[in-house]
C-alpha cells in the first residue's frame, strides 16, 4: 500500500544543515499545529510547545545544550528556528514524555511534508533541570512543574543525508 502520508513517513530524514533564511510564519504555524494534533494520554494535551526565533534566547539555549553535551559545536546546527517541547513531571503525569515525543514526531513529519527540514535535538531534560533552565522556563511563561522532553532544529534544508540505513531485520512480526 502507498499514499502521501506513508511516503512522507519513509522519506523524512533528520536534517543537520540549514539555510540561514528564516521560515515563513505560515510554515511555522503549520508545524506547530501538527504538533497539537498528536494523540495524548487521556486526551489531556499535556505537552507545551515553545517555538523560538529570538537570536539571543536561541544562543542561550544552544549554549545550555552544548554544555550538557560537552561539545564545541552548535547542537542545533545553525537552524533559524528551535521548537522545544515540555511536559508535566512524571510525579504529576506519567505519560508526559510519551505525549511530548509524539508531538515532536508529528512536527517532524509535518515539517518534511511542507518542504522544511528538522532534527530532534536531545538533552532538554537535563538542560531544563538546572537552575538556569528553570529560570528560562519561567521567562518563556511556562507554568511550574514541567520538564524538557526534546527540541527540534527547524529550517529550510541546505543538504539532505545521501543515504538511509535499511530497516533492521525482524523489526516487526505479526502473530496470528
Ligand atoms: C530521542 C531522539 C534523540 C535524538 N537526538 C539527536 C541529537 O541530539 N542530535 C542529532 O543530531 N540527532 C538526534 N536525533 C536524530 C537521530 O539521530 C535520527 O533520527 C536517526 O539517526 C535516524 O535518522 P533519520 O531521522 O534521518 O531517519 C535524535 C532522535 C531521537 C528520536
Amino acid at each position: 500500500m502507498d499514499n502521501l502520508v506513508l511516503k512522507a513517513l519513509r522519506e523524512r530524514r533528520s536534517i543537520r544543515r540549514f539555510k540561514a533564511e528564516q521560515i515563513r510564519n505560515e510554515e511555522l504555524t503549520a508545524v506547530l499545529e501538527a504538533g497539537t494534533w498528536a494523540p495524548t494520554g487521556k486526551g489531556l494535551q499535556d505537552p507545551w510547545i515553545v517555538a523560538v526565533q529570538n537570536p539571543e534566547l536561541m544562543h542561550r539555549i544552544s549554549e545550555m545544550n552544548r554544555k550538557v553535551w560537552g561539545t564545541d559545536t552548535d547542537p542545533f546546527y545553525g537552524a533559524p528556528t528551535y521548537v522545544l517541547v515540555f511536559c508535566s513531571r512524571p510525579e504529576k503525569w506519567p505519560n508526559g514524555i510519551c505525549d511530548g515525543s509524539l508531538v515532536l514526531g508529528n512536527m517532524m513529519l509535518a515539517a518534511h511534508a511542507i518542504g522544511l527540514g528538522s532534527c530532534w535535538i536531545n538533552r532538554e531534560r537535563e538542560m531544563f533541570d538546572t537552575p538556569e533552565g528553570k529560570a528560562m522556563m519561567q521567562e518563556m511563561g511556562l507554568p511550574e512543574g514541567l520538564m524538557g522532553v526534546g527540541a527540534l532544529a527547524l529550517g529550510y534544508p541546505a543538504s539532505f543525508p545521501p543515504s538511509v540505513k535499511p530497516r533492521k531485520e525482524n523489526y516487526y512480526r505479526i502473530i496470528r
Side-chain angles (χ1 to χ4, degrees), residues 12-14 16 75 77 119-123 161 164 167:
R12 180 214 52 81
R13 294 276 74 78
S14 293
R16 297 188 176 89
Y77 305 107
C119 186
W120 179 315
I121 309 299
N122 230 358
R123 295 166 290 281
V164 57
R167 301 300 90 178

Side-chain angles (χ1 to χ4, degrees), residues 11-174:
E11 294 183 354
R12 180 214 52 81
R13 294 276 74 78
S14 293
I15 298 299
R16 297 188 176 89
R17 281 195 60 208
F18 296 92
K19 295 184 181 166
E21 184 187 349
Q22 186 54 277
I23 60 171
R24 301 203 318 268
N25 279 340
E26 56 266 43
E27 292 171 325
L28 176 60
T29 311
V31 169
L32 301 176
E33 279 284 325
T36 71
W37 289 105
T40 55
K42 286 192 177 169
L44 287 178
Q45 303 180 33
D46 176 72
W48 296 75
I49 308 170
V50 181
V52 184
Q53 294 185 326
N54 174 291
E56 187 271 328
L57 183 56
M58 291 169 82
H59 177 72
R60 282 194 279 143
I61 293 169
S62 169
E63 280 294 294
M64 271 168 64
N65 195 308
R66 197 179 61 71
K67 280 184 205 148
V68 175
W69 195 12
T71 176
D72 290 340
T73 54
D74 170 22
F76 287 83
Y77 305 107
T81 298
Y82 302 169
V83 184
L84 287 76
V85 174
F86 300 86
C87 71
S88 295
R89 304 192 74 83
E91 313 84 79
K92 183 176 168 218
W93 176 236
N95 290 321
I97 295 173
C98 301
D99 291 345
S101 299
L102 283 171
V103 168
L104 284 154
N106 263 27
M107 292 195 293
M108 288 190 279
L109 190 63
H112 171 70
I114 60 171
L116 301 179
S118 72
C119 186
W120 179 315
I121 309 299
N122 230 358
R123 295 166 290 281
E124 272 60 32
R125 172 95 199 243
E126 298 91 321
M127 282 163 62
F128 288 99
D129 268 352
T130 62
E132 189 188 358
K134 287 185 178 143
M136 192 182 280
M137 284 198 279
Q138 259 194 347
E139 187 184 335
M140 289 168 167
L142 295 168
E144 296 273 309
L146 300 188
M147 59 182 254
V149 177
L152 297 184
L154 184 68
Y156 296 124
S159 72
F160 290 90
S163 60
V164 57
K165 275 191 207 165
R167 301 300 90 178
K168 71 178 181 188
E169 266 186 55
N170 300 323
Y171 211 146
Y172 63 82
R173 64 199 59 202
I174 300 171

